Amino acid sequence: MYTLGIETSCDDTSCAVVYSGKKVLSNITSSSLKYHKRYQGIIPEIASRAHLENIELVLSCALKKSRVDASRIDLIAFTYKPGLIGSLLVGVNFAKSLGYALKKPFIGVDHVEAHMYPVFFQGNLPKFPFIGLVISGGHTSLFLVKDFNLYKNISQTRDDAAGEAFDKVGKILNLGFPGGPIIEKLARRGDAGSIRFSCAGPRDSMDFSFSGIKTAVLYYVRRNSDKKINIKDIAASFQQAVVDELLRKIVLCCLKYKIKRVVVGGGVASNKYLRRRFKNELYTRNIDLYLSERQYCVDNAAMIAGLGYQLFNKGISSSIAIEAQP
Ligand code: KG4
Ligand code: ZN
């Protein structure tokens, strides 16, 4: 069964063809990131216009690369929430029209839940239930996942998401946008033990909080404005504190729910330092780690097609009345 995936929740216009929820035949993405860089953040209006301009071309490239003609597509899966409303509207309406014209069933998929799907493209599949961690620019959430359609949200961030914290610290340090990959690179040559940053979230819950550490970095930079600060040390110390906190909460969560399987996805999960620490530290605690492949950590339509296929197999589909939800 061939599923066409369509993802337009933020700045990436992505289309993919996935065979039976497992084999990614194509995954084509056009990003409008270069138009947002000068504003150091995603400008919703620019993103939705770019989706409108690019979506047809991205679709035809994805079909061509997969060598699957549109008439052979069995299901259309698309992101309908959450995201920038203008961006979602383009993808949702495009997908619905396509499904209607081709007389194919379609299904709306939750983008955050889909970030946990890419591990199912790999050989070693996690068994249900598992603990899922999504770390992206918009979300930092832990889930108890009992099946493809059974997610219990255990915790989320009370303020900034992990990726957002990377981006804001990048802005404070004048590094450019998005900050995540740049901070990762600088941190490689920094001393993570040189500055003590912490992002311990609220004590009374499993929720995350990353706005405090961003402010701590800002104050550190201001306090030392007359000295020559070492940006690499700041990057390494900040990155280490974020990873410490994510690991702390995962372990707490595994203990609380007595589950020793963790699935991780989302843009921040492409960070190599984080991947190394997660692998080492969860291994020593006997927790099985399923990490999304780096290419599927950032926004992509393959994960939407994959999850859409699994939901459709459970008898779930959407009607033409489905609407985008921010
Ligand atoms: O999942 P994603 O592509 O989009 C959302 O759904 O938000 O995640 C984007 C986020 C950005 O905040 C970006 O800075 C962060 O992922 N990111 C990283 C890295 N690559 C992307 N954060 C840390 N290290 C990275 N290597
Ligand atoms: Zn995402």
Side-chain angles (χ1 to χ4, degrees):
M1 184 165 162
Y2 295 108
T3 307
L4 169 70
I6 297 176
E7 150 63 33
T8 64
S9 66
C10 193
D11 59 316
D12 294 316
T13 314
S14 185
C15 291
V17 179
V18 175
Y19 180 70
S20 292
K22 181 83 197 151
K23 198 166 185 324
V24 181
L25 303 178
S26 65
N27 183 44
I28 304 290
T29 301
S30 159
S31 172
S32 58
L33 192 62
K34 58 178 181 291
Y35 304 115
H36 304 279
K37 276 187 190 269
R38 59 194 281 218
Y39 304 103
Q40 299 200 62
I42 302 296
I43 307 298
E45 183 63 20
I46 295 178
S48 47
R49 274 180 207 216
H51 288 309
L52 264 179
E53 279 167 21
N54 297 329
I55 195 157
E56 276 183 67
L57 182 61
V58 174
L59 170 67
S60 61
C61 289
L63 289 172
K64 195 169 173 198
K65 172 129 197 258
S66 69
R67 296 170 178 267
V68 177
D69 188 73
S71 61
R72 286 171 62 214
I73 293 292
D74 301 294
L75 170 70
I76 300 169
F78 55 93
T79 303
Y80 79 107
K81 71 169 186 183
L84 302 172
I85 189 67
S87 292
L88 288 168
L89 273 170
V90 177
V92 169
N93 288 309
F94 185 79
K96 288 202 292 185
S97 324
L98 196 64
Y100 188 75
L102 296 172
K103 297 191 176 59
K104 304 288 179 183
F106 48 82
I107 181 164
V109 171
D110 182 308
H111 173 94
V112 179
E113 292 171 0
H115 264 306
M116 290 173 268
Y117 192 81
V119 295
F120 291 93
F121 297 141
Q122 300 167 19
N124 183 21
L125 303 183
K127 287 201 185 83
F128 293 108
F130 59 74
I131 301 293
L133 171 71
V134 177
I135 30 180
S136 68
H139 294 84
T140 308
S141 304
L142 279 163
F143 295 89
L144 169 61
V145 186
K146 292 192 173 163
D147 204 337
F148 290 115
N149 59 338
L150 289 176
Y151 298 86
K152 181 178 179 240
N153 185 211
I154 299 168
S155 81
Q156 56 222 345
T157 176
R158 295 217 173 155
D159 36 61
D160 295 343
E164 197 178 350
F166 270 93
D167 296 338
K168 287 182 175 171
V169 166
K171 202 168 170 177
I172 291 167
L173 300 176
N174 261 321
L175 301 176
F177 177 81
I182 310 170
I183 289 177
E184 176 186 348
K185 212 168 157 194
L186 285 168
R188 271 181 227 150
R189 280 171 290 133
D191 174 5
S194 58
I195 311 159
R196 274 195 83 77
F197 291 127
S198 134
C199 47
R203 284 278 145 212
D204 55 336
S205 91
M206 296 284 273
D207 283 352
F208 295 96
S209 167
F210 291 105
S211 75
I213 189 166
K214 162 204 70 190
T215 312
V217 173
L218 177 67
Y219 286 171
Y220 178 87
V221 172
R222 279 194 190 155
R223 234 184 5 256
N224 296 288
S225 59
D226 51 339
K227 302 178 200 132
K228 198 170 167 0
I229 53 170
N230 188 330
I231 289 184
K232 291 171 193 150
D233 287 348
I234 300 176
S237 305
F238 161 78
Q239 180 176 262
Q240 175 175 273
V242 171
V243 172
D244 282 350
E245 174 65 355
L246 293 169
L247 272 168
R248 192 174 75 85
K249 287 274 159 68
I250 289 178
V251 172
L252 275 178
C253 207
C254 287
L255 285 172
K256 183 169 175 193
Y257 291 91
K258 298 188 173 56
I259 294 174
K260 296 203 132 191
R261 273 182 299 279
V262 173
V263 168
V264 183
V268 181
S270 65
N271 183 293
K272 287 183 186 158
Y273 166 80
L274 177 147
R275 296 173 79 85
R276 200 169 55 243
R277 292 262 327 263
F278 273 37
K279 279 179 196 163
N280 292 341
E281 285 166 49
L282 296 181
Y283 178 78
T284 59
R285 290 184 161 84
N286 257 327
I287 296 171
D288 293 332
L289 172 67
Y290 299 83
L291 259 176
S292 300
E293 252 182 75
R294 289 188 72 230
Q295 58 168 326
Y296 298 122
C297 283
V298 289
D299 288 347
N300 67 87
M303 66 184 193
I304 304 297
L307 182 56
Y309 164 84
Q310 300 291 353
L311 296 174
F312 187 72
N313 265 354
K314 291 187 175 294
I316 304 166
S317 64
S318 301
S319 82
I320 196 86
I322 185 171
E323 284 182 6
Q325 291 175 25

